[in-house]
Each structure stands twice: as C-alpha cells, then as structure tokens.
C-alpha cells in the first residue's frame, strides 16, 4: 500500500479512536433518529432536504466500518 494512503488510514483510525469522535457519532445517531421521522415533514422540498440530511448522517455513522473494510481490502491487495 502506498505510504500516503497508509498514513491517511492511520490518521483516520486515530481520529476515530478519540472521545470527540465517539461523542460526534452519538450526536449524529440522535440526530438521525429525529430526522428519520417523516411525520414532521410537510412539503416535497422538505422531504428531499430531510433525505439529504439522513444520507449524510448515515454516511458519517458508518464511516468507521466503511474505512475498516476498505483498509482491509487494500491490505489484502498488497499481500497478493
């Protein structure tokens, strides 16, 4: 694996191991639970906006798993 890419993932995993990251994810999960409710939406524009919020929060919450999976795949490619 390229050394710059290795550093990228090392830095990312370090960031995700910090308490601030854990707090951010807790907040994002709370926001997702609230934004995922359709009953408070009254216009089509609001639905589209809400879907965007839910997509971004879902991405953020899943970022660690996605990063770990991608990193593992990159390592497997390097081994082969």
């Amino acid at each position: 694996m390229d050394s710059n890419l290795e550093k990228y993932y090392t830095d990312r995993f370090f960031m995700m191991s910090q308490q601030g990251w854990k707090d951010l994810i807790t907040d994002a999960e709370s926001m997702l639970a609230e934004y995922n409710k359709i009953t408070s939406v009254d216009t089509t524009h609001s639905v589209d906006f809400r879907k965007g919020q839910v997509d971004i929060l879902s991405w953020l919450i899943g970022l660690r798993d996605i990063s770990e999976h991608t990193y593992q795949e990159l390592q497997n490619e390097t081994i082969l």
Side-chain angles (χ1 to χ4, degrees):
M1 184 183 322
D2 178 274
S3 62
N4 289 332
L5 190 55
E6 180 76 31
K7 181 172 176 5
Y8 170 84
Y9 280 102
T10 300
D11 292 346
R12 177 172 276 194
F13 293 137
F14 175 76
M15 172 190 69
M16 291 175 174
S17 72
Q18 302 300 304
Q19 185 60 46
W21 178 262
K22 294 171 188 170
D23 293 342
L24 175 64
I25 295 303
T26 298
D27 291 346
E29 289 170 339
S30 295
M31 291 173 69
L32 179 60
E34 186 60 35
Y35 291 161
N36 219 6
K37 297 176 185 170
I38 195 87
T39 56
S40 62
V41 179
D42 58 358
T43 66
T44 303
H45 173 70
S46 295
V47 169
D48 292 338
F49 184 75
R50 184 65 58 94
K51 283 174 56 178
Q53 291 174 311
V54 167
D55 285 346
I56 290 168
L57 289 168
S58 296
W59 170 81
L60 181 63
I61 292 166
L63 185 59
R64 182 178 183 89
D65 290 338
I66 293 166
S67 297
E68 288 173 348
H69 179 76
T70 303
Y71 181 74
Q72 193 65 26
E73 284 184 355
L74 289 169
Q75 283 187 320
N76 290 341
E77 287 177 11
T78 302
I79 293 171
L80 300 176

